[in-house]
Amino acid sequence: MNPSSSLPDAKFSPDADSSVLQIWGGHPLRGHVKVSGAKNSALVIMAGSLLCSGDCRIRNVPLLVDVDRMSQVLSALGVRITRQGDVLDINAGEITTSKAPYELVTQLRASFFAIGAILARLGVAQMPLPGGCAIGARPVDLHVRGLQAMGAEVQIEHGICNAYVPGSRRKLQGAKIYLDSPSVGATETLMMAATLADGETMIENAAREPEVVDLANFCNAMGAKIQGAGSSQITIVGVTKLHSVDYTIIPDRIEAGTFLVAGAITRSEISMSPVCPNHLIPVIAKLQEIGLTIIEDAPDCLRILPAEIIKATDIETLPHPGFPTDMQAPFMSLLSVVEGDSLINESVFENRLRHASELNRLGADIRVKGNTAFVRGVPTLSGAPVIGTDLRASAALVLAGLAAKGLTTFQGLHHLDRGYDRIDQKLQQLGAKIQRD
Ligand SMILES: CC(=O)N[C@H]1[C@@H](OP(=O)(O)OP(=O)(O)OC[C@H]2O[C@@H](n3ccc(=O)[nH]c3=O)[C@H](O)[C@@H]2O)O[C@H](CO)[C@@H](O)[C@@H]1O
Ligand SMILES: C=C(OP(=O)(O)O)C(=O)O
């Protein structure tokens, strides 16, 4: 059965800032949960639809505040966009302005990546600096330097990145670009920009995340010529025009990983689909290393079994295929209730350990020094009011609340709703005692 097919087509809390989740922890979960489409694919593929003047049908789009906001950004650019269930229909035949709306772009990260597509289509773009999770400085210098290498003039003034391509044709030129670090967003911005550029672009030290591959597959399905996505060298041969497409987003590996941890932390047996196990290799390997059994019931379905004893371990976050930074906070919750001491080093973002102090309110024993958290496992957690500081920190607190004895009141739904498709309802269907108030 597909439990989330019976989920109401819920809209988000009218006032997610003041809404809370009440979680009565200590109850095992059971059953099957449907994994939604990947947030970070959906958002960048929506940006990628700006490259095409024909119709783009995008399937398996998760119900998220970030997707709503990205839709509003596209609408503000003059794009026609409609949603029915998990299908988005986008037509960017006419882009009526090159100026993206400040108040929306500053609320999410991926909206900025659209600068590559807008510049490729119009030869000019005014893109406010982005928002997203407050987990570090998150500059956009690699995006900017790559666009400059392709011939764009770029200036940042008054919080807006103004870019234009000089010359009568306003066409970006293919270039050889080396990224100082394998930034997901910069790889995606530049891949989109290069799709309609003159000549060949090579991105060296490119990000290898599955969402980069999904974007490349989407663009190629519209007639782009992108090779090597998923490796650290991507080659893009520019084409003059892209055509209509019907494309399905990959499952969200971070949501799936979060449910795997939900099973582990509540010592429960749950299954989930659809998933791409290949996208979850570092997460599954870590869970197996600490004593959990994960079974592949079908090529796209995983089941986690309860373990009597879960061991401590060390984690270092790294670009894909290393351990994903987006799973670091959920794992911290899990490691706070296992036997022994763990060390977690966050090496991708410089300020992504703020959940540690909130987990300590629930009785965890975590010390943070710089980018390292020392987690001393405790036998149990006890419910308390907590506040989520960002998206994955919020997921981590919900997971800890499921394991804690008594009532946890979680505040921070505006973060959670940005990136988890009706997580409270999905957990309810797994038997969690959780309620949105
Ligand atoms: C919408 C989206 O897809 N978000 C994901 C994307 O974010 P995002 O694309 O922002 O992450 P990046 O891979 O770009 O960031 C990695 C590191 O590179 C730095 N950096 C990045 C760009 C730049 O121009 N200069 C620079 O210094 C960042 O500050 C960070 O320290 O990948 C991250 C790393 O897997 C994930 O946590 C986010 O969930
Ligand atoms: C950091 C994340 O998102 P964003 O890049 O949109 O802030 C995330 O999805 O964990």
Side-chain angles (χ1 to χ4, degrees):
M1 124 160 186
N2 165 358
S4 98
S5 60
S6 58
L7 292 179
D9 213 16
K11 285 314 278 174
F12 309 105
S13 299
D15 188 357
D17 282 344
S18 60
S19 299
V20 294
L21 279 183
Q22 310 269 23
I23 307 163
W24 290 268
H27 302 282
L29 307 180
R30 129 161 221 260
H32 183 85
V33 64
K34 180 175 183 285
V35 176
S36 296
K39 157 187 167 271
N40 289 343
S41 276
L43 295 173
V44 73
I45 283 175
M46 289 170 75
S49 69
L50 288 166
L51 291 165
C52 176
S53 50
D55 293 325
C56 295
R57 173 158 285 185
I58 309 172
R59 300 178 191 268
N60 201 28
V61 178
L63 190 71
L64 301 174
V65 166
D66 268 10
V67 167
D68 267 8
R69 288 184 179 142
M70 191 69 177
S71 302
Q72 288 171 45
V73 170
L74 296 184
S75 293
L77 294 169
V79 171
R80 278 183 284 138
I81 177 159
T82 55
R83 177 170 191 142
Q84 265 211 322
D86 67 358
V87 179
L88 273 187
D89 282 310
I90 302 180
N91 184 293
E94 273 186 69
I95 303 178
T96 50
T97 172
S98 56
K99 190 172 178 183
Y102 195 93
E103 60 293 349
L104 287 169
V105 175
T106 48
Q107 292 187 54
L108 75 160
R109 178 79 181 165
S111 50
F112 183 83
F113 309 165
I115 192 172
I118 299 173
L119 205 53
R121 272 292 291 283
L122 304 181
V124 56
Q126 292 99 48
M127 184 59 80
L129 294 174
C133 289
I135 50 183
R138 311 190 77 180
V140 292
D141 55 319
L142 299 175
H143 305 240
V144 168
R145 293 214 305 263
L147 294 174
Q148 286 169 332
M150 297 176 76
E153 303 275 346
V154 188
Q155 262 193 350
I156 298 177
E157 262 180 353
H158 308 298
I160 296 175
C161 187
N162 297 295
Y164 77 98
V165 189
S168 55
R169 288 178 61 242
R170 303 206 141 195
K171 270 278 210 182
L172 289 164
Q173 302 295 316
K176 244 186 163 190
I177 300 166
Y178 172 81
L179 296 178
D180 284 347
S181 66
S183 156
V184 173
T187 303
E188 293 171 341
T189 295
L190 299 173
M191 214 161 69
M192 289 187 274
T195 292
L196 296 179
D198 274 341
E200 181 178 297
T201 298
M202 189 181 284
I203 308 174
E204 305 262 21
N205 199 24
R208 292 184 281 165
E209 270 68 3
E211 295 76 20
V212 171
V213 180
D214 211 23
L215 173 65
N217 289 340
F218 169 71
C219 292
N220 284 342
M222 297 190 292
K225 290 192 177 155
I226 303 175
Q227 274 192 337
S231 78
S232 51
Q233 189 186 74
I234 302 179
T235 308
I236 306 115
V237 177
V239 297
T240 49
K241 205 170 170 10
L242 298 177
H243 56 72
S244 293
V245 70
D246 187 329
Y247 190 81
T248 303
I249 305 280
I250 56 170
D252 196 308
R253 65 193 165 104
I254 307 301
E255 189 195 11
T258 304
F259 282 120
L260 285 172
V261 175
I265 202 169
T266 58
R267 311 299 203 256
S268 306
E269 176 171 343
I270 58 170
S271 61
M272 63 209 65
S273 68
V275 295
C276 294
N278 270 347
H279 297 169
L280 282 155
I281 287 171
V283 170
I284 293 172
K286 236 347 138 186
L287 289 169
Q288 286 170 333
E289 181 195 318
I290 64 179
L292 288 142
T293 304
I294 319 278
I295 296 170
E296 233 178 272
D297 279 335
D300 72 342
C301 180
L302 291 178
R303 184 157 48 99
I304 183 163
L305 301 184
E308 288 259 298
I309 295 178
I310 307 181
K311 294 173 289 187
T313 189
D314 295 343
I315 288 180
E316 173 160 25
T317 63
L318 287 168
H320 192 78
F323 187 88
T325 171
D326 293 352
M327 284 304 300
Q328 176 261 109
F331 264 75
M332 190 182 292
S333 296
L334 175 59
L335 294 176
S336 69
V337 286
V338 306
E339 275 187 27
D341 299 345
S342 304
L343 198 145
I344 299 178
N345 188 37
E346 171 57 56
S347 78
V348 178
F349 291 103
E350 62 269 25
N351 189 17
R352 206 177 196 181
L353 295 172
R354 289 194 296 158
H355 37 282
S357 52
E358 290 303 297
L359 287 172
N360 285 344
R361 285 185 204 280
L362 300 172
D365 182 354
I366 306 169
R367 277 178 308 123
V368 172
K369 203 164 181 207
N371 264 343
T372 304
F374 302 88
V375 185
R376 185 161 288 167
V378 296
T380 51
L381 300 174
S382 59
V386 287
I387 300 178
T389 47
D390 64 64
L391 174 53
R392 308 303 168 185
S394 298
L397 291 168
V398 170
L399 294 173
L402 293 174
K405 292 213 169 97
L407 175 64
T408 293
T409 306
F410 166 79
Q411 203 184 318
L413 270 162
H414 55 295
H415 294 301
L416 216 49
D417 287 341
R418 277 190 48 220
Y420 287 93
D421 184 347
R422 292 163 286 181
I423 191 172
D424 46 332
Q425 293 173 36
K426 291 189 184 187
L427 286 170
Q428 264 168 15
Q429 290 186 337
L430 289 172
K433 309 229 174 309
I434 183 167
Q435 190 180 307
R436 187 182 283 247
D437 281 333

